[in-house]
Amino acid sequence: MIVVLKPQTTAEQIKKFSDEITSQYKVTVNTWVGTQSTVLGLIGDTASIDTDIIQANPIVESLTRVQEPYKKANRKFHPDNTVIDMGKFKIGDGSVTMMIGPCSVESSEQMAEISQRIKKAGAAMLRGGAFKPRTSPYAFQGLRAEGLYLLTEAKRNFGLPIVTEIMSPAHLPLFEDVDIIQVGARNMQNFELLKELGHCDKPILLKRGLANTIEEFLMSAEYIMAGGNEKVILCERGIRTFEPMTRNTLDISAVPLLKKLSHLPVIVDPSHAAGIPWMVEPLSMASIACGADGLMIEVHNNPAKALSDGAQALTPDQFDGIAEKIKGLAGYLGRSVNTLE
Ligand code: PEP
Ligand code: MN
């Protein structure tokens, strides 16, 4: 339930009103204070609330029941965009953030070569998998803790913040130096993992599941937010359809849809969506054109020798070309690109 308060309502009145509601009903109150108004989001057993009594309160402007099951992730509860402060740049403030790197972390030399090139091209973050969710148990599973060490080494040497995937809540202590924790498509509905990440204070990049609806995607974000961590970034990475010519089908309509339904930043991963290097450029351009806050792209210094997803990886030279086009498009749209150079 959304309660919009009148513009002149004081902080004291808001507190008194919230305390009254929480003591009377089994609900929690999410307060969003904007420049024009204050919005209270009531979550819990709102069916028992006597709406006539609430509406009769002189500080109340309007009251609406929210039908959607996602509340904290809902734009109705938080009309402004969520902006995540990464220190040197922000995600969700209208700027474009490129998170670039190999599918898997493989060696110190590989990470150094890629980091140096992508940073120069304009990437603001380094991606790379240490714990890899592979379809086959016989495929390369990632360097695990050593992979995290190599990522933090690259972060130290090149000043690039890092984003990498977690697969088990038990590994969380290893992620201390990680700047954004990624939840992969296969774990989008690993609810125990999501609950655990709800108690951590790092931003979470949540990828859409292989065959999940937009509502299920937002409910997974809600799991993290319900635990208290409101720094969630949504990532559209393609879904399974009947079309076999691409690895997945990029649901480009998810971008404006998620931006409308939610206040959370939205990024796109065209590499896993298409699975084809030449398609990464047009899909990246389309994503930024329709409002994505950033891109996650796989780049490898030697795609032919990559230990995972080499077939979809771009070379650093190819990424240079895409980065230039993205900067041009962002400029045309009046948006900045976050770089560390
Ligand atoms: C990845 O980003 O390396 C990855 C495994 O992606 P997804 O979870 O989208 O398949
Ligand atoms: Mn990959």
Side-chain angles (χ1 to χ4, degrees):
M1 181 180 287
I2 301 280
V3 181
V4 180
L5 303 181
K6 292 197 175 138
Q8 300 81 11
T9 310
T10 64
E12 209 176 308
Q13 287 173 306
I14 297 171
K15 185 173 183 319
K16 184 166 172 280
F17 182 67
S18 301
D19 289 347
E20 274 168 20
I21 293 174
T22 47
S23 62
Q24 232 173 322
Y25 306 103
K26 281 199 195 113
V27 294
T28 54
V29 178
N30 212 57
T31 311
W32 175 85
V33 184
T35 45
Q36 299 301 318
S37 62
T38 297
V39 175
L40 302 183
L42 276 46
I43 304 170
D45 182 17
T46 53
S48 61
I49 292 178
D50 186 335
T51 52
D52 289 342
I53 293 184
I54 302 256
Q55 230 146 4
N57 193 310
I59 66 167
V60 172
E61 174 92 51
S62 65
L63 181 150
T64 340
R65 283 203 181 274
V66 175
Q67 302 303 327
E68 298 86 5
Y70 49 91
K71 311 290 180 189
K72 290 195 166 201
N74 201 318
R75 196 177 272 284
K76 289 178 187 161
F77 273 55
H78 188 292
D80 285 347
N81 288 334
T82 280
V83 176
I84 298 177
D85 193 348
M86 298 300 298
K88 291 196 174 132
F89 59 92
K90 294 185 169 71
I91 301 175
D93 64 346
S95 62
V96 174
T97 302
M98 294 190 278
M99 306 176 186
I100 314 297
C103 180
S104 294
V105 176
E106 297 169 10
S107 70
S108 182
E109 297 70 35
Q110 171 223 27
M111 294 311 284
E113 208 175 309
I114 295 172
S115 301
Q116 182 243 328
R117 289 291 308 268
I118 61 153
K119 185 179 180 189
K120 194 153 173 266
M125 293 196 72
L126 173 65
R127 67 141 282 148
F131 291 91
K132 294 302 302 176
R134 306 304 302 282
T135 303
S136 166
Y138 309 117
F140 176 59
Q141 301 289 306
L143 294 180
R144 303 170 67 86
E146 193 199 335
L148 288 180
Y149 172 77
L150 296 178
L151 269 169
T152 53
E153 181 187 58
K155 170 178 167 168
R156 237 185 359 261
N157 292 342
F158 298 93
L160 281 161
I162 52 179
V163 48
T164 191
E165 178 168 354
I166 193 165
M167 298 222 295
S168 161
H171 299 150
L172 202 47
L174 296 170
F175 282 66
E176 207 157 304
D177 294 326
V178 171
D179 299 278
I180 297 183
I181 301 179
Q182 176 174 328
V183 175
R186 289 151 193 85
N187 273 311
M188 190 204 87
Q189 287 189 315
N190 181 339
F191 299 117
E192 288 303 317
L193 178 62
L194 300 178
K195 280 188 217 169
E196 199 59 40
L197 295 173
H199 299 128
C200 103
D201 67 355
K202 288 183 188 293
I204 309 297
L205 191 153
L206 178 66
K207 287 188 143 194
R208 183 177 180 184
L210 306 174
N212 285 110
T213 64
I214 294 290
E215 188 167 291
E216 287 164 345
F217 191 15
L218 289 170
M219 288 310 287
S220 289
E222 190 78 13
Y223 258 94
I224 301 168
M225 299 176 84
N229 185 356
E230 308 206 336
K231 291 180 281 189
V232 180
I233 300 162
L234 303 168
C235 178
E236 163 59 39
R237 45 79 72 206
I239 48 172
R240 250 188 207 175
T241 66
F242 48 78
E243 179 51 65
M245 285 201 189
T246 48
R247 185 175 178 184
N248 292 286
T249 297
L250 179 63
D251 179 8
I252 196 78
S253 60
V255 179
L257 199 48
L258 290 167
K259 296 290 287 182
K260 186 168 178 65
L261 299 175
S262 176
H263 49 87
L264 297 172
V266 178
I267 71 158
V268 172
D269 171 350
S271 296
H272 289 90
I276 304 169
W278 67 259
M279 219 180 262
V280 172
E281 181 180 307
L283 296 183
S284 296
M285 300 289 272
S287 304
I288 297 306
C290 74
D293 295 286
L295 296 164
M296 174 170 266
I297 297 174
E298 286 189 348
V299 169
H300 196 285
N301 52 331
N302 187 355
K305 291 269 168 67
L307 296 182
S308 62
D309 282 352
Q312 71 193 26
L314 299 175
T315 62
D317 285 347
Q318 287 170 323
F319 177 63
D320 283 349
I322 293 181
E324 280 316 302
K325 292 223 167 155
I326 292 296
K327 287 181 204 163
L329 174 62
Y332 174 76
L333 295 169
R335 302 174 61 188
S336 59
V337 175
N338 296 318
T339 63
L340 300 170
E341 289 289 272

